[in-house]
Amino acid sequence: MVTVDPNPTPENKVKVNQAFEGATYVFAVTIPAARTSKERELEEGKMFADAAKAANVRLFIWSGLENYTEISGGKYTHAAHFDAKAEVTQYCKDIGIPFVNVEPAGYYQNFLGYGAPRKQPDGTFVMFGISSPDSVGHLFDANGDYGLWVRKAIEEWPGGETEILTCADILSRAEIVSTLSKFTGKTVKYVQVSKEQQLKAMVATGVPDHIVVMMMDMYDCISEFGYYGKKDIGPSQKGLARKPRTWEEFVKENVEQFNKILS
């Protein structure tokens, strides 16, 4: 096991190069720009790509995301945590490294954390958001199933897809809360709020201003243009070692955790 600080300093770049020496495959994901900055995340991703190229790896497996500035035609320019990863993807293309971009969908696990429904005075639970109840999201079990698509990337290389979209379920907000109600026995609703209300709620919980701006642009872009834009997830569903978990299966398997949250 080799541990290296991902901060892209000259010293750490040398250590990353050393860590990658002799590797056949490398999987890389960067620290989100929400925790650092877009510039830091971009440099970190470039450092990993450069090290993989120097090590002459068979395949660099990169956890990228969409460029929401481009997808929206410049309308939403503040989703830095998406754009930075997309720029790393472009960098991988530019330097000619053998790579597959394995793009994660939204995590089911988010609904066990910051995205969990909130208890109301009447005993019901509400999930708030600026999107309409009918707007859909692309989701998957990040902890349990991401490896299915990484394995697909390895097994199909060379000649396979250079971009894999890790989506297991496409669900509306209404369907998400309906499934929670079904398996927990609690009344869980989705309530659409205004941008102003969402902003106030995020600020009230201590979310830093720059992250608030990022998240609002992300929500708006997904609602208007889609999580993956207009890309077809169909090809990415083929050749998996097993069927990825649906949202209903995930809730059923983790119902004890959801019951703790909804108490």
Side-chain angles (χ1 to χ4, degrees), residues 65-81:
L65 289 171
E66 294 297 315
N67 189 317
Y68 280 178
T69 295
E70 291 185 0
I71 283 178
S72 69
K75 185 174 182 179
Y76 302 113
T77 61
H78 300 294
H81 53 316

Side-chain angles (χ1 to χ4, degrees), residues 11-202:
E11 180 182 355
N12 287 336
K13 288 180 180 180
V14 172
K15 291 180 179 179
V16 170
N17 280 11
Q18 293 172 342
F20 284 12
E21 287 179 2
T24 304
Y25 301 100
V26 169
F27 172 84
V29 60
T30 47
I31 297 173
R35 296 186 189 177
T36 55
S37 68
K38 179 182 177 181
E39 293 72 25
R40 158 68 191 271
E41 183 169 12
L42 181 56
E43 286 305 307
E44 189 178 314
K46 286 181 176 180
M47 174 179 67
F48 292 149
D50 288 339
K53 184 173 184 179
N56 196 30
V57 301
R58 175 177 170 82
L59 182 64
F60 180 62
I61 304 158
W62 164 242
S63 179
L65 289 171
E66 294 297 315
N67 189 317
Y68 280 178
T69 295
E70 291 185 0
I71 283 178
S72 69
K75 185 174 182 179
Y76 302 113
T77 61
H78 300 294
H81 53 316
F82 274 71
D83 289 0
K85 285 184 168 62
E87 289 181 27
V88 174
T89 301
Q90 183 59 50
Y91 182 75
C92 290
K93 296 177 182 177
D94 293 342
I95 66 173
I97 188 172
F99 84 104
V100 175
N101 175 25
V102 183
E103 288 194 33
Y107 299 176
Y108 292 156
Q109 283 78 9
N110 289 343
F111 300 107
L112 288 167
Y114 76 87
R118 309 288 180 179
K119 191 171 186 177
Q120 303 302 299
D122 63 359
T124 63
F125 294 84
V126 173
M127 186 183 297
F128 296 99
I130 61 175
S131 304
S132 74
D134 295 327
S135 63
V136 298
H138 292 67
L139 302 166
F140 85 125
D141 179 0
N143 294 348
D145 289 343
Y146 201 0
L148 291 174
W149 283 277
V150 173
R151 176 176 172 179
K152 170 183 168 71
I154 293 172
E155 291 181 342
E156 294 182 355
W157 187 264
E161 300 289 333
T162 57
E163 181 177 77
I164 296 175
L165 311 178
T166 71
C167 177
D169 230 339
I170 302 176
L171 299 165
S172 69
R173 273 60 176 174
E175 289 171 324
I176 291 170
V177 296
S178 175
T179 299
L180 287 173
S181 293
K182 176 181 177 180
F183 287 99
T184 64
K186 306 292 176 62
T187 300
V188 186
K189 304 175 183 178
Y190 176 81
V191 174
Q192 183 177 5
V193 296
S194 67
K195 289 184 181 180
E196 291 73 19
Q197 290 173 306
Q198 183 77 8
L199 281 167
K200 288 180 180 179
M202 293 176 74

